[in-house]
Amino acid sequence: MQLLLAVISGGYAVGAALNWGSEEVAEIMGDFGLSAAGLLAAVSCYSYARAIDSRERPAWLLFAFSSLMGAGGNAVWGWYEVILGQPVPKPSLADFAFLCFAPPAIVGLLVLAKRPVTRAGWVCLGLDSWLIGGSLLTLSWSLALAHAARTAQSGAPGSVPRAALSLAYPLLDIALVSMVLVLHFRRSESNRSAVNTAIAALALTVLSDALFTSPLLSAEYQSGQLLDAGWFAGSLLLAYAPWGARRIHPGLEPAGHARGDRPHSRPITGSLPALTPYLAAAVCTLGILYNVVDGRKVDRMVVFTGCTVVLALVIRQGIMLLDNIALTQELAQKENHFRSLVQGSSDVIMIAAPTGTLRYVSPAAAGVYGREAEELVGTELATLIHPDDLGRVVHEVRRFLAAPPTEEPTTRIECRFKSGGGEWLNVESTVNRHQGGLILNSRDVTERVRLQAQLQHSAEHDPLTDLPNRALFTRRVRQALTGRRAGDHSTAVLFIDLDGFKAVNDTIGHQAGDELLIEAARRLQDSVRAGDTAARLGGDEFAALILGDGNRDRSAREYQVREIADRLRTTLSQPYRIGGSEVRVAASIGVAFADPGITPSDLMRNADLAMYRAKAGGKDRVEMYVPQMQAEVVRKAELAGRLRTALHEGEFALLHQPVVSLSTGEVAAVAAQARWRSAQGILFTPAEFLRVAEYSEGGAGGAGGPAGPDPSRTAELGRWLLEEAVEQAADRHRAGHDVPVAVRMTAQRLLDRAMPLGSVEALLTRHGLPSGSLVLELAVSDPRVPFDDLERRLTALHRLGVGISLDGFGSGYAAISALRRLPVDMLKLDRGLVEGVVESARLHKITAGLLRIANDLGMRSVADGVDLPEQVSALRAMGCTHGQGMAFSGPLDEYRLRRALVRGTFPVPGGAAQPALAGGSPGGSMAIRRGSHNETPVPPT
């Protein structure tokens, strides 16, 4: 559009310069061409005024009317010159139209100008307008207007209208020029491009009018001359202004100039530049000098106008002086406010030059940094920042300065700052741009950083031992398996458990246990290498991360790590001095290596499995992880899952093993034993399926050690065993087999609150089992069992005819206390004594002594685990009354049991068996214990 406008205007100027080829064409283009251009400007401004809805609409409507008047004047001019072929009369209708061009344009410019907000502002606006207009009037009067005025005073016919017309044109142009200049300094911010283009169009029109009214051109002017190109270009520029010029979208206006949020400015200082009054006075002086130099008498109009301009200048300067005084006072007040804010702020405000040199530092630096502000001014900012933080700070500052200010007006930087005492303070700074440099609003956050570090440390370390906790240890294992160490498979994890720690807590108290853990943690921390990690996972479980050294020889690395683990085991097993006494614990350690592709959780799980294998293998030892351990865990997990539903699905069976008199071979009782028949048809003994239950609850998979059999599951199994044994014994009694049934029960279970006091009595009554047909084999293994409650409970059952047998006699700590206080009818020897009674002279003597106690107290005795004829002969010779084991019969189902009861007796080996000593030593070694229903559960592998 701009190129097209330039081409059309240039073409018109060329045509006018060449007189369009003929006088007829020149007249047509000089009259109707200008009329068409004015009409185009009128239509354009009118259309734009209808399209917008703002305070600018009246201005563009006035511009449209002004252009329409100009177009009408040119049309009338063409009517006379082109249509009628005669000169245009003076005055004429065209002169009226041309005179109506300037006033609407002047009012439109006033509409577009920023209105003053105070009375002084309106006064200054009028003075500014008169300074410009009066100066131009003085100059114009000296050059041309005085001659027109003298012509009007001559009294010639028609001289007054012609003189008035000659004066009207330049006076209106002077007013229009004044408003153009005023608007240039007071234009509105909205749609600035369109307004500037409209001002340029009107200025071009006024310039052409000024040339037309000058004495040099007015006498010889003809339509179609080069002067018409100025009017033509002015009309086209005004038509182009509202549409072609770039307009600012309301949403994209500059910051601080949004609609309804215009910045407040002083109406006086913001109206005209400081030089404008002096330029106006200079123009007025030129008008006066023109008359003096020419030797003519100075016209009174020039003197009067010049005096008014000087008076306006004096008044204007007086107002500016008062305004400057008010501004100075206001500035001083604001500066005092700013100084009070800066000096009273607890934050340090610093201004840094683009080179990084500090140019200003607020007085708060003395309290925050311990350095006077004057000492810091002139210092390079980089010399005050910690070297480790400098690179990061420089990078952030460069990035911030390169970012657009509208997108990122501020940034925040935290670094260490050198104080006057030489220590490093943690400083947080808000950074803003300032003349190519920076403004930093800084505050000391050392205490906050210290507190954050303390909280972080507390979240990642054990509060008792201050070792890394499980979360931090897991993260360091993950770091060891990733990054540059990802290919190093010699990294190892050690899981450590203190054997016997629970006994320390139970015997000498938890305070002593805490002291032992603290000492163990210190020993562990001192034993690992500098780059390794020692951690406490919880309870008495510790761990160590041994970083790899890149050694690809797996056997050499395993040997090295085993040495480290053995050293740790030896160190942790040394005696501890707690509260003046010596305490001993051992350490079971599991080791796992970072195989290719392993995850941190899998690596820690493998070390946990190896540690529990070490505990199951006898404790106080080191065990290396092998894949078979995981396979065993998977198998036990499957069994544990099946065990959860086995009881409800009827997979448990009740077997009975005969208890035989060693003298006659008669069946004196039957011992009830539970068996679990798995889906694969395997029968598990109580020790075996309780071990599976123990795995399912404690889990050897990285979640900690076994927690013991599930109390709810063992309680449910105990209830089933008792009810099933009583029910089957009642059925046998009704069938004529009057043989008591023995059911094993722990003292804890008998006193359990979940088992009502009358449950055993109610069970006997419901099934009709006669008195003396039930024997409870009581196992007392927990030192915390209250003997008073147990005595009252057993006495009540004994009155009902329930027999009481002390199970595991000879192995428990509470055997003597139980014999002394509890209503016991028989003693059941522990299987360990029976198995070695023939081979070991020591066990032979111990067993004989226990049997002698039973005989002296008038109690029957039962030997459990009698599997060999030699054992039968030896026990019978010692005075044992009954035996139970494979020497007579294994556990029988109900059908085989009834056949055995019909037979009634089992063959008893004759003769007294002599003990065969192993090597003839009284302290011969005992054989390994075989599993049975009273076997202590062992932690899973």
Side-chain angles (χ1 to χ4, degrees):
M1 288 296 296
Q2 295 174 354
L3 181 61
L4 179 62
L5 181 65
V7 169
I8 295 175
S9 300
Y12 189 96
V14 171
L18 299 178
N19 203 25
W20 297 101
S22 66
E23 292 184 2
E24 291 79 5
V25 177
E27 288 182 351
I28 293 174
M29 295 301 297
D31 294 332
F32 292 111
L34 293 180
S35 179
L39 185 61
L40 177 63
V43 173
S44 175
C45 292
Y46 178 75
S47 301
Y48 180 70
R50 286 178 56 87
I52 64 174
D53 185 14
S54 66
R55 62 179 295 269
E56 299 176 7
R57 172 183 284 184
W60 292 102
L61 287 175
L62 290 169
F63 291 155
F65 180 75
S66 179
S67 299
L68 184 62
M69 291 295 99
N74 283 301
V76 172
W77 200 292
W79 172 264
Y80 282 102
E81 288 190 337
V82 177
I83 304 300
L84 299 181
Q86 61 185 26
V88 181
K90 292 186 179 182
S92 67
L93 190 60
D95 294 321
F96 173 77
F98 288 143
L99 290 176
C100 290
F101 172 82
I106 293 173
V107 177
L109 291 175
L110 286 174
V111 172
L112 290 178
K114 289 191 294 186
R115 296 183 179 89
V117 295
T118 64
R119 183 180 302 174
W122 283 105
V123 173
C124 288
L125 178 62
L127 291 174
D128 292 339
S129 301
W130 177 244
L131 281 171
I132 297 173
S135 301
L136 294 177
L137 177 60
T138 303
L139 185 61
S140 300
W141 189 272
S142 300
L143 295 176
L145 298 183
H147 175 72
R150 285 193 294 271
T151 303
Q153 292 176 0
S154 64
S159 60
V160 175
R162 284 195 296 270
L165 187 62
S166 300
L167 291 173
Y169 278 117
L171 291 177
L172 289 175
D173 286 339
I174 289 173
L176 187 57
V177 168
S178 302
M179 294 313 304
V180 166
L181 292 176
V182 171
L183 179 61
H184 175 70
F185 298 114
R186 285 182 168 271
R187 60 187 179 275
S188 176
E189 296 293 338
S190 60
N191 207 0
R192 179 183 293 184
S193 297
V195 174
N196 286 342
T197 307
I199 292 174
L202 295 175
L204 187 57
T205 302
V206 170
L207 179 61
S208 300
D209 287 344
L211 293 174
F212 172 74
T213 57
S214 65
L216 297 176
L217 296 178
S218 60
E220 300 178 358
Y221 172 78
Q222 292 181 355
S223 297
Q225 291 182 349
L226 186 60
L227 185 59
D228 293 345
W231 285 312
F232 183 80
S235 297
L236 290 186
L237 197 60
L238 187 59
Y240 166 78
W243 305 103
R246 180 177 61 87
R247 296 186 302 275
I248 300 177
H249 191 274
L252 301 177
E253 292 178 351
H257 296 273
R259 189 170 301 171
D261 187 27
R262 295 171 182 160
H264 175 73
S265 63
R266 301 285 296 184
I268 302 173
T269 57
S271 61
L272 292 173
L275 290 179
T276 302
Y278 304 103
L279 292 176
V283 172
C284 184
T285 304
L286 287 175
I288 298 174
L289 289 177
Y290 176 80
N291 289 274
V292 175
V293 173
D294 199 27
R296 291 177 293 181
K297 183 181 179 181
V298 179
D299 193 284
R300 286 177 296 176
M301 184 64 181
V302 173
V303 175
F304 176 76
T305 306
C307 291
T308 57
V309 168
V310 172
L311 181 60
L313 179 59
V314 172
I315 296 174
R316 181 69 171 80
Q317 292 300 99
I319 294 176
M320 287 186 64
L321 179 61
L322 294 176
D323 188 60
N324 286 337
I325 294 174
L327 280 175
T328 303
Q329 293 175 349
E330 184 179 348
L331 234 110
Q333 185 179 7
K334 289 183 177 180
E335 185 179 355
N336 290 331
H337 290 169
F338 171 75
R339 184 178 292 107
S340 300
L341 288 173
V342 171
Q343 294 182 353
S345 174
S346 59
D347 293 348
V348 181
I349 299 175
M350 300 182 292
I351 299 178
T355 58
T357 304
L358 292 177
R359 291 182 175 176
Y360 173 80
V361 179
S362 66
V368 176
Y369 299 147
R371 306 177 68 173
E372 295 298 330
E374 293 78 8
E375 179 186 349
L376 291 174
V377 173
T379 307
E380 292 289 336
L381 186 60
T383 61
L384 303 174
I385 298 175
H386 195 283
D388 295 342
D389 300 338
L390 183 58
R392 174 174 54 83
V393 172
V394 171
H395 174 76
E396 175 61 20
V397 168
R398 288 177 178 173
R399 184 202 62 78
F400 170 67
L401 292 177
T406 55
E407 295 181 5
E408 191 173 3
T410 63
T411 188
R412 193 178 297 273
I413 296 176
E414 188 169 325
C415 63
R416 284 167 288 181
F417 200 88
K418 192 172 185 179
S419 69
E423 67 271 11
W424 294 99
L425 303 176
N426 292 94
V427 174
E428 181 186 65
S429 301
T430 302
V431 184
N432 295 271
R433 299 173 180 84
H434 175 68
Q435 299 178 358
L438 300 172
I439 296 180
L440 298 96
N441 191 351
S442 306
R443 63 200 61 87
D444 182 10
V445 293
T446 304
E447 185 63 24
R448 189 194 71 188
V449 172
R450 186 194 64 78
L451 181 59
Q452 288 177 345
Q454 182 178 349
L455 293 175
Q456 182 73 15
H457 182 85
S458 300
E460 295 180 342
H461 289 75
D462 175 57
L464 178 64
T465 63
D466 203 40
L467 289 180
N469 58 15
R470 182 181 292 271
L472 180 57
F473 183 77
T474 303
R475 185 164 73 249
R476 291 189 179 177
V477 172
R478 184 179 296 107
Q479 293 171 352
L481 298 182
T482 56
R484 61 184 182 88
R485 293 185 175 273
D488 188 359
H489 306 308
S490 58
T491 296
V493 169
L494 280 62
F495 264 44
I496 306 163
D497 185 83
L498 299 182
D499 304 320
F501 174 74
K502 184 177 182 298
V504 174
N505 272 342
D506 293 340
T507 53
I508 60 177
H510 288 275
Q511 179 64 34
D514 291 344
E515 294 179 15
L516 189 149
L517 290 175
I518 294 172
E519 176 62 20
R522 187 192 62 77
R523 294 184 185 182
L524 179 61
Q525 183 68 48
D526 293 342
S527 300
V528 298
R529 301 173 305 179
D532 299 334
T533 300
R536 182 191 179 204
L537 304 184
D540 60 343
E541 286 192 355
F542 295 86
L545 172 64
I546 310 299
L547 297 178
D549 55 3
N551 191 354
R552 296 185 178 274
D553 187 350
R554 181 64 179 264
S555 59
R557 181 58 177 165
E558 287 185 0
Y559 178 78
Q560 181 184 7
V561 172
R562 180 177 281 275
E563 276 193 334
I564 295 174
D566 281 330
R567 186 173 67 250
L568 287 176
R569 181 187 59 80
T570 303
T571 301
L572 294 174
S573 300
Q574 294 296 321
Y576 295 83
R577 197 73 183 174
I578 306 296
S581 59
E582 190 176 274
V583 179
R584 289 181 178 269
V585 295
S588 296
I589 302 177
V591 182
F593 283 93
D595 295 327
I598 196 169
T599 63
S601 59
D602 289 343
L603 179 59
M604 295 174 65
R605 180 206 61 198
N606 294 345
D608 202 13
L609 289 174
M611 185 265 289
Y612 281 109
R613 176 60 64 89
K615 292 179 73 67
K619 302 180 180 180
D620 193 16
R621 54 183 294 172
V622 176
E623 193 76 34
M624 310 292 288
Y625 171 79
V626 291
Q628 290 79 359
M629 296 180 183
Q630 178 62 21
E632 179 69 15
V633 168
V634 172
R635 186 186 70 84
K636 288 191 174 183
E638 293 175 352
L639 290 177
R642 184 62 183 162
L643 180 61
R644 292 186 181 96
T645 58
L647 187 61
H648 299 288
E649 295 182 0
E651 294 183 5
F652 276 93
L654 189 64
L655 303 182
H656 294 82
Q657 189 172 23
V659 178
V660 180
S661 171
L662 296 184
S663 59
T664 63
E666 294 181 356
V667 179
V670 292
Q673 299 179 9
R675 293 292 186 272
W676 173 38
R677 186 182 301 276
S678 69
Q680 293 77 19
I682 303 174
L683 280 176
F684 291 95
T685 64
E688 291 171 325
F689 61 68
L690 286 178
R691 190 178 304 154
V692 172
E694 176 183 303
Y695 165 81
S696 67
E697 292 304 313
D710 179 16
S712 61
R713 188 167 299 136
T714 53
E716 187 178 5
L717 180 60
R719 285 194 298 271
W720 175 86
L721 176 63
L722 180 62
E723 291 181 6
E724 193 72 12
V726 170
E727 181 180 0
Q728 292 187 17
D731 290 342
R732 288 193 297 272
H733 180 76
R734 287 189 289 270
H737 304 293
D738 191 11
V739 179
V741 60
V743 180
R744 187 176 185 272
M745 181 177 293
T746 63
Q748 294 88 339
R749 170 63 185 147
L750 189 62
L751 297 178
D752 190 0
R753 294 181 179 179
M755 183 177 180
L757 289 177
S759 58
V760 176
E761 295 85 338
L763 186 65
L764 296 175
T765 303
R766 184 169 70 250
H767 293 286
L769 190 65
S771 174
S773 298
L774 175 63
V775 177
L776 293 181
E777 295 179 349
L778 189 67
V780 184
S781 58
D782 193 339
R784 293 170 294 184
V785 173
F787 268 91
D788 293 338
D789 297 342
L790 184 60
E791 182 181 7
R792 286 193 294 270
R793 180 74 177 120
L794 290 179
T795 301
L797 292 174
H798 199 264
R799 291 195 186 100
L800 294 177
V802 176
I804 307 299
S805 173
L806 189 60
D807 188 40
F809 188 68
S811 63
Y813 77 98
I816 302 301
S817 298
L819 284 177
R820 182 172 58 88
R821 300 187 59 180
L822 302 180
V824 178
D825 299 313
M826 68 179 68
L827 301 178
K828 192 169 188 178
L829 295 178
D830 182 73
R831 173 180 286 269
L833 298 175
V834 176
E835 287 178 343
V837 71
V838 177
E839 293 84 358
S840 172
R842 179 183 293 272
L843 285 180
H844 186 278
K845 292 180 180 180
I846 293 173
T847 306
L850 294 175
L851 290 173
R852 215 169 13 252
I853 293 175
N855 291 331
D856 292 344
L857 295 176
M859 299 181 183
R860 290 173 295 171
S861 54
V862 179
D864 185 18
V866 183
D867 298 334
L868 301 174
E870 296 83 358
Q871 295 172 344
V872 175
S873 301
L875 291 169
R876 184 176 58 191
M878 296 178 194
C880 184
T881 60
H882 296 81
Q884 171 187 339
M886 297 302 296
F888 305 105
S889 173
L892 303 174
D893 58 20
E894 187 66 19
Y895 173 74
R896 290 183 175 85
L897 176 62
R898 294 201 179 194
R899 289 183 57 186
L901 293 177
V902 169
R903 189 171 62 247
T905 60
F906 286 93
V908 179
Q914 298 297 325
L917 300 181
S921 171
S925 61
M926 294 176 58
I928 298 177
R929 295 171 58 184
R930 294 187 294 272
S932 70
H933 68 281
N934 60 354
E935 180 181 346
T936 302
V938 179
T941 57

